[in-house]
Structures are given as C-alpha cells and as structure tokens.
Amino acid sequence: MTAPASRPPIALSIAGTDPSGGAGIHADLKAFCARGVYGTTAITALVAQNTHGVSEVYGIDDAFVTAQLASVLDDLPVDATKTGMLSTRSLVELVCRAVDERDLGYLVVDPVMVAASGHRLLNDDAVDSVRSQLMPRADLITPNLPEAALLLGESEPEAESIEQMRDQAGRLLERGARAVLLKGGHGADDEVIDVLAVADGTNAEFSHPRIRTPNTHGTGCTLSAAITAEMAHALHAEATGTSGAATDISGAARAAMVTAAVERSLDYLARALASAADWQLSREPEGAHGPVDHLVDLHVER
C-alpha cells in the first residue's frame, strides 16, 4: 500500500470580513496560522468596520458563496469548519445544505448576531434559521451570554450566575447542538467562567482572571477559530495512515477531544488578550476596542 501524501490540517471559515483585521475572516486566518493549520475561507459579507464599530455591510450573492465553498471543498480535504457572520436566512440555509451534502469536517458554529458596538449583524428570520436549522447540525456552538439568550428566545434574560449559565447551556443542547460552550466574557465579575456542555453528559467549566482591557474586538471569532484549528489537528491526527477520511470516534473520545481543544483555545485567547492589553492602535482611542494579539506565540525579535 502507498502511504498517504503528507499535508497539514485544514480548516475552513465561512464568515464576513473585517478590514481593520481584528475580527471575522481576517481574525480567523490569523488564528488558524497561529494554531498551526492551513486556513481556507468562504466570504459571506464585506463589512466596513474598525475598532469603533460597523459602518456598512455589503452582502455577497448566495451563488458566489456557493461557488467559493465548491472551490475549496472540491479541491481540499477540510478537517474542521467554523461559521461566523451569516446575516440572512438564505445564507444559513445555504450552509445547512453544504453540511448535508459535503464533508465540512467538525462544525463549530459561532452565532455572530450583534457586534460589540451594538450593530445587529443577523436578520430576525436568520436568527430563527440558526435556532431551528443550523444549531442541530453543529458539533459545537460558541455563544456569548447575549447570543445564548437570543438563541433560546426573544424574552429569555441573559444569564447572570453560573447556575443560570449551566441551565441555558443544557437547554441549548436540547435544541440539537452536540456541544455548547457558553462564554462568560460579557459578565462583570473579576473571574470569567465559561461553561462547556456536551450531549453525552460530559460537562466542564473553565475559569480565569478577567483581563481588564478595551482591546476585545474579535475575541469570539478568534476563540471559535482556535477551537476549529485544534479540532482540525485532532481529526487530522486520527486520519493519519488512513485513506484521508477521519475515522469514526466514540462519544467519550470525542468529548475528551473537544474539552481539550476548548481548554487549549481559551489559554491561547487569554495570552492573546494579555499581550495586546495596552495596545493603542486607533488614531482616536476614546471608545475604541482594539484587537487581541493573534500572533502572540509567533513573535520574532527585530
């Protein structure tokens, strides 16, 4: 038998852009690089934004998003995929069809709904499609506290305690996702707690000191991209020595794999936040939210 050709793990991001480089596709590619995977993309929207917020969104035609996905998936064996900004119902349904018809590998859904500046990034009917169609297809969803409340229903309050976070994570699992990472970064406590719930009953909680910094632009994108990269590594390793397709992994082994990927990614994000805590990129720093240091582990002395 001929040994399979060598290749790096491959990750795909389906998301919008950020010309200021802190979030969206731009952040995802940086995080993929930092975590050692080959990054690919399908752009869903051109977003005019910077550290002060979103000023305009230019939607990409669905047919061209489909063409981008085909360009990647017809050619490259993707180990893991993440979704970011899917602003319309038709885009959500397009991605759902891709999940059903193509091999996207492990699927991380970052339900990007509202920008840190407060700009709504998801139409109302798209929110319903994420709830009813995309979430049940997800291997992992990574909502923050406002997104979790919105996914559970328009009248659902944001979780304010760890008990409420556990409850909401469990109810999101009941909506069909195989795993939920409910992020506590929007809380106010000095300690940040993130809750991971997996459908097989495996649960984990991660706590770390809150890093007081205005530079939090793109943290959700960066974390979900890092988890996607970690899962691409893990699944690529499982496939090594086979025909190239990932092997069937037991529920317990998959849960352990996800837990480890989340823990490593949270550690990476904490270091990226700390490294950029004092950055001042904007010409007008008042009210600006700068990016994290995606390449914290890749610095070269000059």
Side-chain angles (χ1 to χ4, degrees):
M1 295 180 63
T2 302
S6 174
R7 69 166 177 86
I10 299 173
L12 167 64
S13 172
I14 308 172
T17 65
D18 175 9
S20 70
I25 287 282
H26 294 71
D28 294 344
L29 285 175
K30 291 176 183 178
F32 288 164
C33 177
R35 307 312 295 163
V37 303
Y38 184 84
T40 65
T41 66
I43 296 173
T44 59
L46 302 177
V47 184
Q49 66 173 313
N50 56 26
T51 61
H52 286 273
V54 175
S55 59
E56 190 171 348
V57 177
Y58 183 85
I60 302 295
D61 183 83
D62 287 2
F64 190 66
V65 176
T66 299
Q68 292 177 78
L69 286 171
S71 294
V72 174
L73 299 171
D74 287 350
D75 188 38
L76 304 174
V78 170
D79 297 295
T81 297
K82 66 151 288 187
T83 66
M85 180 181 173
L86 304 173
S87 56
T88 66
R89 179 172 184 167
S90 63
L91 269 176
V92 176
E93 293 173 346
L94 182 161
V95 171
C96 289
R97 287 194 298 273
V99 173
D100 293 342
E101 298 169 4
R102 308 297 299 260
D103 183 8
L104 274 65
Y106 189 88
L107 180 63
V108 177
V109 171
D110 182 12
V112 179
M113 297 179 173
V114 182
S117 61
H119 191 284
R120 185 71 175 264
L121 299 175
L122 207 62
N123 297 340
D124 289 339
D125 60 348
V127 174
D128 183 65
S129 293
V130 170
R131 287 191 195 115
S132 62
Q133 297 184 57
L134 187 57
M135 200 156 59
R137 290 170 167 84
D139 290 301
L140 172 69
I141 63 171
T142 61
N144 57 32
L145 297 179
E147 290 164 347
L150 191 56
L151 285 171
L152 287 168
E154 297 293 339
S155 61
E156 182 76 18
E158 290 182 25
E160 296 181 348
S161 67
I162 186 62
E163 291 78 18
Q164 290 173 332
M165 289 180 68
R166 292 168 184 153
D167 173 68
Q168 288 191 357
R171 286 191 285 137
L172 286 170
L173 279 182
E174 293 172 359
R175 299 289 183 97
R178 296 175 183 85
V180 176
L181 176 64
L182 181 49
K183 302 174 296 188
H186 277 67
D189 295 338
D190 289 335
E191 183 182 42
V192 177
I193 300 178
D194 304 294
V195 174
L196 175 66
V198 184
D200 73 346
T202 302
N203 298 296
E205 294 172 10
F206 309 90
S207 63
H208 51 89
R210 183 178 300 278
I211 299 170
R212 299 292 180 180
T213 173
N215 297 328
T216 56
H217 179 53
T219 49
C221 303
T222 302
L223 178 61
S224 59
I227 296 170
T228 304
E230 294 289 348
M231 291 305 298
H233 271 292
L235 294 171
H236 178 257
E238 288 290 330
T240 300
T242 70
S243 62
T247 55
D248 187 25
I249 303 170
S250 70
R254 176 63 65 93
M257 186 183 293
V258 174
T259 302
V262 169
E263 186 170 22
R264 285 193 292 268
S265 298
L266 286 169
D267 178 69
Y268 158 68
L269 180 60
R271 287 183 285 107
L273 275 163
S275 180
D278 297 324
W279 281 6
Q280 184 176 304
L281 269 64
S282 177
R283 298 176 186 273
E284 299 178 6
E286 184 67 30
H289 295 279
V292 304
D293 182 5
H294 300 91
L295 306 184
V296 60
D297 297 330
L298 303 179
H299 290 168
V300 177
E301 292 295 331
R302 295 291 185 186

